[in-house]
Amino acid sequence: MKKVLYPGTFDPVTNGHIDIIQRALELFDEVVVTVAINPGKSPLFSIDERVLMLKESLKDYKNISVDSFDGLVVDHAHQVGAVGIIRGLRAVSDFEYEFQMALMNRKLAGDLTTVFLMPHEKYTYLNSSIVRNLAGLSSDVSDFVPPVVIEALKNKFGRS
Ligand code: ADP
């Protein structure tokens, strides 16, 4: 029974994240999607909102759980009994930061393996911050995020 942790900010979850989760489910028995409480960032959505949107978007999938954590990713991976950490790689621009994190996590916890997955090409330019900006400018984001997120963005930006 191999569990893997997929940590991120998910502010909000996008179809790119979901693509990565689907790929991870083909490799592992269970994926724990975990929302990082990052005091350095000022997110648009609260932790509870981000967890709820993930739960709703993933409700039709088996072998997934969603939670949140405060602290080190490697500690949370150990707590949930994961054998590794999933991260998504979209482009070379992601590589340097992700490489640094993966090596630091390996130094902190040599028993955990970081696995990088690439999304479908159509998601390589997609990130949560573009989605937030587009939605804030009343642009249609329905190609990029699950329906629950479209609704949440409308509520956040005060439109019905
Ligand atoms: P973080 O702040 O930890 O980067 P994100 O929610 O932005 O949190 O992303 C979580 C993980 O998902 C990261 O590994 C990121 O590279 C990956 N990711 C984000 N958007 C996409 C996408 N469109 N396709 C593939 N991976 C993605």
Side-chain angles (χ1 to χ4, degrees), residues 6-11 14 16-17 20 41 87-90 94 97-98 119 123-124 126-128:
Y6 180 34
T9 311
F10 304 108
D11 185 37
T14 68
H17 294 127
I20 295 292
K41 292 195 177 182
R87 296 289 288 174
L89 270 189
R90 283 160 292 193
D94 280 339
Y97 171 75
E98 293 292 344
Y123 298 130
T124 48
L126 180 58
N127 66 49
S128 300

Side-chain angles (χ1 to χ4, degrees), residues 80-100:
V80 303
V83 295
I85 297 165
I86 292 284
R87 296 289 288 174
L89 270 189
R90 283 160 292 193
V92 179
S93 51
D94 280 339
F95 181 77
E96 198 163 337
Y97 171 75
E98 293 292 344
F99 185 64
Q100 203 176 19

